[in-house]
Amino acid sequence: QVRDRLKQQVVEMKEKFPGFRPGLAILQVGNRDDSNLYINMKLKAAAEIGISANHIKLPNTATEADVLKCIASLNADPAVHGFIVQLPLDSNNPINTEKITNAVAPEKDVDGLSSINAGKLSRGDLGDCFIPCTPKGCMELIRQTGVQVTGKRAVVIGRSKIVGAPMHDLLLWNNATVTTCHSKTSTLAEEVGKADILVVAAGQAEMVKGEWIKPGAIVIDCGINHVPDSTKASGKRVVGDVAYNTAKEKASYITPVPGGVGPMTVAMLMQSTVESAQRFLKKFQPGKWTIQYNQLTLKMPVPSDIEISQSCIPKPIDQVAKEIGLFPDEVELYGQTKAKVHLSVLNRLKNQPDGKYVVVTGITPTPLGEGKSTTTVGLVQALGAHLHQNVFACVRQPSQGPTFGIKGGAAGGGYCQVIPMEEFNLHLTGDIHAITAANNLVAAAIDARMFHELTQTNQALYNRLVPSVNGVRKFSDIQIRRLQKLGINKTDPAALTKDEINSFVRLDIDPGTITWQRVLDTNDRFLRKITIGQSPTEKGFSRTAQFDITVSSEIMAVLALADGLDDMKKRFGKMVVASSKKGQPVTADDLGVTGALAVLMKDAVKPNLMQTLEGTPVFVHAGPFANIAHGNSSVLADKIALKLVGKDGFVVTEAGFGADIGMEKFFNIKCRYSGLRPHVVVLVATIRALKMHGGGPAVTAGVPLPKEYTEENLQLLAQGCSNLNKQIQNARLFGVPVVVAVNAFKTDTKAELALVVQKAKEAGAFDAVECTHWAEGGKGALALARAVQRASQAPSNFRFLYNMELPVVDKIRIIAQQIYGARDIELLPEAQEKLALYTKQGFGNLPICMAKTHLSLSHDPEQKGAPSGFVLPIRDIRASVGAGFLYPLVGTMSTMPGLPTRPCFYDIDLDPVSGGVNGLF
């Protein structure tokens, strides 16, 4: 009956949680025959019920340390819900059994042998512990008789930790009057004669005589003893601790030996395993979070960002991980405040529905920025800490170039920050450093390959590329791929013809076509154009090159768009670094560097977990440029977050620059590759930026704002709402409802804020609300959060702006006309040449990633508002084939920023007392 019930419960668990199975681990040391017999019984029962049972067998040479190490591994394995150590431990080395049983995690100790479970049982906490299986089975047998335990006199013979002592406690807490006897009890027969319920676990053959037993008593015999019997082939037979033949004449119920308590003990082990799995599911139910939020202590005036960040004590990051349903083996801790999350989470939660997907973007900004990051954090703090929704923020990792340059950090601001902000803004977990190393490995490989091809014969190159090792020559996997690309279907290095060897060893790179540059995560204007190869050892093979900022590397864009480690590796292999002199694309795979790139990036592909000031979770992952790349955080972070929050939760991500750039690329590039569909667009606007678009004077970083921005001016503001209107229209082109967040500054007036709300609604926004989150944290974004909740329930008809199959020039024209307001486009000669080249090379069906100024809807940063009727000049077109897009260049721009006269690093230092970071980020 127990097994049938458990089998049905397992079926129900699998139906409710597809892919889930209760897991039991049995750890054995040595090879005792009796232990093998018992374990086989348990494995058979588990298989019958549907429990996934794993038998781990250590040799009899195992030490105590070996056993403890194995236990630690099983404790951390989320697939193991029940875990027993088979006793006795058959080892040649001394092992402390109690130390071993106490090492088993109490929540997995289905044998109930740990001191914690024993203590809870003795204290009467029966609902919060595991009971040893034999006493639990005995109790179940007693219940099956239908006799009420309450008020009965019970006698337990035996006081072992496995049966006697826990049986006493179990009967006691079921309201029996219990006496424990043992081999030294002088009045044993007398005590037995008083028992309504008798449980015997003394380990002595037929010790209890039938005449001792009270008529009508329930007798549970736990003993297993061997006595001589010449009629048996083995010369012995199994008997219990009770003389069965005489006892059965007096007892109302009695268990036989064998076949009584033993099978019930196994059934109870299975029951405890299923109970443990049920507790696990209740505790780790996907989408069911129990979060401890941080309470903000707001101050006026608002202190500096770093003062606020350092005044808040972050929760330990492993606590955050546990709160949101991550398992210990899915998290790699980087200190107390950062962690990487394994991609295996996606597989575990693959059957779970996604949450609501929200993208935060903005109107065309001033050079100061309009607070998209701050609004992103404020919104998730409001949804989480105040409305108690499961919510995740997914943001980009900032480059150290701007951090130490002119912009400063990107952790948000005021009472809406990712913390610790100094960790966020600096090295984090080293992802950008890994990209730097990987990128520069490719750059080194390009120049080295050109050098070796120029200085060696075909045969010499071949001998070095495919060397003989111990007399054997063999192609590597990546070389086999190159041969297949060349149409050479051979695997024996000795079988290639001279022409085939020539094709294989010669990439024949045209130096003038190299598009791959070295990178550095520091603003250094003097590396914008350099000459390399000036050492005498390079034999005069020098060329002009440059350094870019690391976050502009295609490897960063690949990281942000990859769907997993394998997909990232494939994209690395497709990255085009140059063309051959015959016009063929040369890839990272051709250079033989793909596998090495995957090795360098194997940890960077895992999203980084942090938290906000109010304790809501944040993924910080990838930080591609928003001009020559798509300017969004990683697909992987979004996908994991959407699974973790559950179907009623929210994931809020941010798109770089204004809606005409970051949002358009979010939809047309990121969503196209990820397959994810957004529910809401949050469009951030400020009175300051709208006044600028209405014709206000220039806004310059480091210079006080003119009075037009600090005094009420409704006319200027109304004129500037043309930009707001256009960006609302841009978002609605994609069929997604728009909520406008008016990020309020202290100089804004009520009339100005009301005007923007009115204009936004008239332009077609689902809603528009005033936000004060910078000064008030999540509380100041409550209206925004509620508007987003409502908008997420509104009908959505998401669509892309263009089809991939359209010619490249048509895709560019659609973006220019529909998003920017241009009349037409003009391809300059270099762009026309690249268009023909990339179309010939087969890259014409990639999406478009426009690289233009973020300070205007047009190509001219001085044109504010919503310009129209202009012709958009396309200066050049470049390809990020691995990332998966073409990027037309509109106007001029630098991918290596320079340092200003007074960089941010003037204000950054170590605190002489605490050793922490002081200064402005």
Side-chain angles (χ1 to χ4, degrees), residues 257-281:
V257 178
V261 172
M264 203 61 181
T265 298
V266 175
M268 289 301 102
L269 173 63
M270 300 303 118
Q271 181 168 307
S272 291
T273 301
V274 171
E275 287 171 359
S276 181
Q278 289 169 333
R279 292 178 191 177
F280 172 86
L281 287 175

Side-chain angles (χ1 to χ4, degrees), residues 545-724:
Q546 69 186 55
F547 269 82
D548 295 335
I549 194 82
T550 296
V551 291
S552 71
S553 169
E554 185 176 350
I555 290 177
M556 176 64 90
V558 167
L559 174 65
L561 289 170
D563 200 30
L565 186 58
D566 289 341
D567 182 49
M568 182 175 71
K569 183 178 174 182
K570 288 176 185 174
R571 288 172 179 268
F572 285 158
K574 293 177 183 177
M575 293 187 306
V576 174
V577 300
S579 294
S580 71
K581 291 174 182 172
K582 292 182 180 179
Q584 295 301 310
V586 177
T587 66
D589 230 28
D590 293 326
L591 289 167
V593 76
T594 305
L597 298 180
V599 169
L600 284 170
M601 294 291 293
K602 67 181 178 63
D603 292 318
V605 76
K606 304 167 193 170
N608 305 296
L609 179 65
M610 295 187 77
Q611 63 191 288
T612 67
L613 282 167
E614 296 192 51
T616 58
V618 181
F619 273 142
V620 185
H621 198 217
F625 255 26
N627 48 24
I628 68 165
H630 63 292
N632 286 265
S633 59
S634 78
V635 165
L636 283 168
D638 290 0
K639 285 192 169 185
I640 293 173
L642 284 164
K643 293 296 182 188
L644 287 170
V645 298
K647 66 182 179 66
D648 297 320
F650 290 83
V651 171
V652 182
T653 190
E654 177 194 343
F657 292 157
D660 55 310
I661 301 179
M663 183 197 70
E664 181 270 317
K665 295 173 184 180
F666 171 81
F667 289 139
N668 281 322
I669 299 176
K670 185 176 181 180
C671 290
R672 198 185 295 267
Y673 282 122
S674 70
L676 300 174
R677 297 295 177 261
H679 294 80
V680 185
V681 171
V682 172
L683 185 70
V684 180
T686 63
I687 304 298
R688 175 181 67 195
L690 291 172
K691 285 181 175 179
M692 177 192 72
H693 288 296
V699 175
T700 307
V703 176
L705 287 172
K707 63 180 178 61
E708 287 85 351
Y709 297 102
T710 57
E711 297 176 0
E712 185 175 288
N713 191 326
L714 296 178
Q715 182 180 355
L716 196 63
L717 181 60
Q719 291 169 354
C721 283
S722 61
N723 187 271
L724 173 65

